[in-house]
Amino acid sequence: MKTLAILIIFASLQYSIMIIKDKKPDLFEKTECNIWTDPYIQKQMLKEHLNFSSDAASRKKESIQKITDFILKNTCAGGNLLDLGCGPGLYTSIFHDKGYTVTGIDFNKASIEYAKQENQDINYILGDYIESYPEDKFDTAIMIYCDFGTFSDADRDKLLRDIFHSLSKGGKFIFDIFTEELTQSKQVPKDWDYAPTGGFWSENEYLLLVQTFHYPENKAFAEQYNLLSDDKVKHFVVWNRYYNEQEITEVLKTVGFGNVTIHKNITNTNNFTSGNEIFVVAEKD
Ligand SMILES: C[S@@+](CC[C@H](N)C(=O)[O-])C[C@H]1O[C@@H](n2cnc3c(N)ncnc32)[C@H](O)[C@@H]1O
């Protein structure tokens, strides 16, 4: 009996050891769980978007205003605008009020439901813009808060081709990316968080183990999360690809964009990301 009990304990320990991921993931490896679509975490993300004094999920209010002014300056008033990864519609609502015809797409259900309730005149789509890009013509496409660095180079190029084809002549794709300075701010290789009564990652007690891996030859970081809660382990990997000005210009020109301009110091200082993002305006001429 005693031997059986020891065997069971050993087997369960083995099991938990096996399901903790601590190896460097393959470049741009995808996990089954996603921080934006997980049923519980997506609602926490929505709360973070709506916290205007924090730079988590969305930037702080003053930065949003500065970015919106920058986009307004770089586009013709009105016109069809697509917001890729629109979240709860913090930007879409401003452009709608300025007279643009606006479409927003996001795969966070909680955010899209909130956005739809806030403004029914905006066309909101619940979906993955890489899997199913909206079929329409746009004068402007935007992707704000460094989402451009979160997918593989192959997905990036597929998405860029879709954006390029969806833009009218003279149309612009405006987005922001991390620069090589990201390597200076990502200096914590291992971290953890224990929440005895639940919190951001789970409504119940959890232990979160975080490991950061660098892929210098591919200019990418992976943040690998093991979330231990409710007798389960969920795995998430968040990718961040960074660029220098020449590389991003080449990537865009290869797809067909003509005029590419780089803009610095658009936002206020940031209390969540590195704060050295650059903004890119790519024009289809
Ligand atoms: C960092 S947040 C930025 C949200 C918004 N652009 C802002 O700045 O307020 C990234 C957003 O992109 C969405 N997202 C990420 N990948 C996506 C994909 N493949 N398809 C649709 N939405 C995506 C997430 O759900 C999230 O709302």
Side-chain angles (χ1 to χ4, degrees), residues 36 49 57-58 85-87 91 106-108 127-129 144-145 147:
W36 298 106
H49 283 296
S58 291
C86 60
Y91 292 84
D106 203 292
F107 61 11
N108 179 335
D128 183 327
Y129 50 64
I144 303 301
Y145 218 0
D147 260 356

Side-chain angles (χ1 to χ4, degrees), residues 50-63:
L50 300 177
N51 177 356
F52 294 114
S53 56
S54 152
D55 280 308
S58 291
R59 289 189 177 91
K60 280 185 262 181
K61 203 168 193 156
E62 310 83 67
S63 288

Side-chain angles (χ1 to χ4, degrees), residues 144-161:
I144 303 301
Y145 218 0
C146 302
D147 260 356
F148 192 80
T150 59
F151 22 79
S152 69
D153 289 4
D155 280 351
R156 173 201 68 196
D157 292 341
K158 176 188 180 298
L159 177 65
L160 277 178
R161 286 193 295 274

